[in-house]
Amino acid sequence: MAPSPVLTTRVLLICAAIGVATGILGGIAGLITPGVIVLTPYLYGLVLGSHVLPGIIAQEVLRRPFVALVTHLIAALISSAFNPAWALRFIGTALLFGAIQEGIAALTRYRSWGPWRFFISAGVIGVIVAVVVFFAVDLATFAPWVQIAYLVISVLGPLVWTAVGLAIGAALSRAGVARR
C-alpha cells in the first residue's frame, strides 16, 4: 500500500481558500503601503505583519507539513492581482515568511502546535521585518521617537497578526473546516 500524500486534494483546497482570503487582505495591505510609508512609516511593520496570516491560519487548521508555504504562495498570487508591479515582493515575502513558519514547525517535527511555536516564528519575522524595512524607508533620517516606535511596532505587528491568525484558525477548526 502506497503512503498517503502530505498534500491531499482536501488539504490543497483548504490552503487555496485560506490563501485567497488572506491574499485579498495582503493585496489591500499592499495598496495602502505607499501611503503608510509616506505618512506614518513607523506603522509599516503593522501593515507588513499582516502577511503572516496565510501560514498561521493554515498551520493552525491543518497541522501538516508544507501548508504554510503553499498557502503563502497562493496568497501572494492573489495579492499580486491588486498590484502586479509588486508581484515579486509579494512572492518573496511569501517565500520568506512561509519558510520561517515551516522551519520552526520542522524543528518540532510538526508535532508541537502550541501557541508558543507560532509566536516564535512571528518574533523571528518581526525582527527581520524591523531590520529590512529600517533600511528600506531610511528610518535613520527620522526623529528618535519614530525610530523606536517603528522598531517596537515592527516586532509587535507580526505577533498581533499571529494572535489574530490563531483565533481565526481555531474558529475554522471549530466550524469543521479541518474535519476528516
Side-chain angles (χ1 to χ4, degrees), residues 37-163:
I37 288 175
V38 169
L39 300 173
T40 54
Y42 51 89
L43 293 179
Y44 183 53
L46 187 61
V47 174
L48 188 57
S50 68
H51 291 282
V52 302
L53 282 175
I56 297 297
I57 296 171
Q59 285 184 328
E60 175 66 11
V61 170
L62 297 166
R63 299 183 179 207
R64 290 177 162 237
F66 308 115
V67 296
L69 198 54
V70 168
T71 306
H72 270 289
L73 288 172
I74 293 168
L77 294 175
I78 298 301
S79 296
S80 297
F82 287 79
N83 190 345
W86 284 19
L88 290 178
R89 290 180 187 181
F90 286 126
I91 293 169
T93 300
L95 289 172
L96 176 64
F97 287 12
I100 291 169
Q101 291 168 343
E102 289 290 342
I104 299 294
L107 287 174
T108 64
R109 296 183 180 191
Y110 295 96
R111 291 185 181 147
S112 178
W113 297 102
W116 64 270
R117 194 203 55 73
F118 293 99
F119 287 109
I120 287 174
S121 67
V124 170
I125 289 170
V127 169
I128 291 170
V129 165
V131 170
V132 170
V133 181
F134 183 89
F135 295 107
V137 298
D138 196 19
L139 210 60
T141 62
F142 290 90
W145 75 267
V146 173
Q147 293 178 33
I148 292 167
Y150 165 78
L151 293 172
V152 169
I153 292 170
S154 290
V155 173
L156 291 180
L159 294 170
V160 169
W161 284 107
T162 294

